Amino acid sequence: MTAAVKGPARYFPSIEKKYGRPIADWQELIRTSPLTRHMELVTWLKTEHGLGHGHANALVAYTLAEDSGR
């Protein structure tokens, strides 16, 4: 039995379906952005790339958490 995906990653299938780009592409955009603060990145994804708030927030939260563990 497979464990259910929890946290921000649970949004990933719907993000890929709705916006037509793999999560790795969004993470690369976040990582290469000159912005570094969570809400700055969320706002940027919303205004420049047309993401909804929940999707942008999930991508930023997951990516920043992943990077802080490196």
Side-chain angles (χ1 to χ4, degrees):
M1 191 161 133
T2 305
V5 176
K6 295 181 181 180
R10 73 177 180 268
Y11 292 101
F12 289 179
S14 62
I15 292 170
E16 290 181 330
K17 183 178 179 181
K18 183 169 185 170
Y19 304 105
R21 295 176 79 162
I23 296 305
D25 284 1
W26 294 112
Q27 288 186 298
E28 182 65 20
L29 279 173
I30 292 165
R31 289 181 175 124
T32 59
S33 169
L35 305 171
T36 58
R37 299 182 72 206
H38 182 98
M39 286 310 296
E40 290 175 334
L41 287 160
V42 169
T43 300
W44 174 70
L45 287 172
K46 290 167 58 178
T47 58
E48 297 298 319
H49 298 282
L51 272 72
H53 181 82
H55 287 161
N57 190 55
L59 284 166
V60 172
Y62 188 88
T63 303
L64 294 180
E66 188 175 74
D67 290 354
S68 71
R70 288 184 179 189

